[in-house]
Amino acid sequence: VGTHGDWVVNAPGVEPLHFFLNFDGRMIQVASGPSGAAVTVAGVPIDHTWRPVPVFAEIAFGGARMRITCEEAPQENFAPPPAAE
């Protein structure tokens, strides 16, 4: 996440690659970027170690803020693929 990251955020004080986010299908984790620019989760400074981000926590970096939320995935009926012949 940053001004040149996969998730582009343009705000004062945001570095080209400010921090990293990872979603493992269950939870989001965060680690600071290569510049070591300040990033906090719920006011707690984050370093280069992957840390879980609690639901509804705020990630603050430079002049930007990001809030992590959660919603249920829609229930859909998927048809199985056709059998191979």
Side-chain angles (χ1 to χ4, degrees), residues 2-67:
T3 60
H4 293 94
D6 290 337
W7 283 17
V8 176
V9 176
N10 289 304
V14 175
E15 298 285 325
L17 182 52
H18 207 106
F19 67 98
F20 298 102
L21 282 179
N22 178 57
F23 180 64
D24 65 7
R26 192 172 64 82
M27 73 171 53
I28 292 180
Q29 298 176 321
V30 63
S32 66
S35 71
V39 59
T40 62
V41 173
V44 177
I46 299 298
D47 59 17
H48 295 290
T49 305
W50 287 104
R51 306 284 183 196
V53 180
V55 175
F56 304 117
E58 181 179 84
I59 301 172
F61 55 106
R65 305 290 178 267
M66 178 185 297
R67 183 165 311 274

